Amino acid sequence: ALLATVGVYELLLAFSAALIAAMGICVNAAAIVVRRREPDLERPYRMPLFPLPALLALAINGALFALFVHDDPATAAKAFAALAVLTGGAYLATRRGIAAT
């Protein structure tokens, strides 16, 4: 939000590009793992031709992630560092809140 108010949209887009590709990798890998480990689990959505769509999306997101990191490794590293700080801070805040109750 701070980057958006300052008007540094290029940096904001560069931060989000690598993170979104990494998130796509995680989601597609998780879909494959869950469908393999829990084949009888009730699913709200069908995936025709499983695992081909997930593997294709995984390959595309992997290629995009590699390109984003290769194109600007410093910005990608800063984006993942910012994500680590934010999620680590949120984790610590919730753990302290849980411990206090």
Side-chain angles (χ1 to χ4, degrees):
L2 180 63
L3 290 173
T5 59
V6 174
V8 189
Y9 295 110
E10 291 90 15
L11 183 60
L12 186 62
L13 287 173
F15 268 36
S16 66
L19 294 174
I20 289 171
M23 186 175 60
I25 291 169
C26 293
V27 166
N28 289 297
I32 293 169
V33 169
V34 167
R35 287 179 182 263
R36 294 272 184 201
R37 285 188 185 165
E38 301 288 338
D40 298 327
L41 191 66
E42 187 176 330
R43 312 232 185 264
Y45 300 102
R46 300 182 77 185
M47 187 182 295
L49 303 174
F50 175 78
L52 293 178
L55 290 173
L56 180 63
L58 187 64
I60 291 169
N61 282 313
L64 285 172
F65 179 74
L67 289 172
F68 290 139
V69 171
H70 181 269
D71 185 47
D72 195 358
T75 302
K78 289 177 190 174
F80 283 102
L83 180 65
V85 168
L86 290 173
T87 56
Y91 173 76
L92 291 175
T94 57
R95 294 300 297 167
R96 287 187 184 154
I98 292 170
T101 57

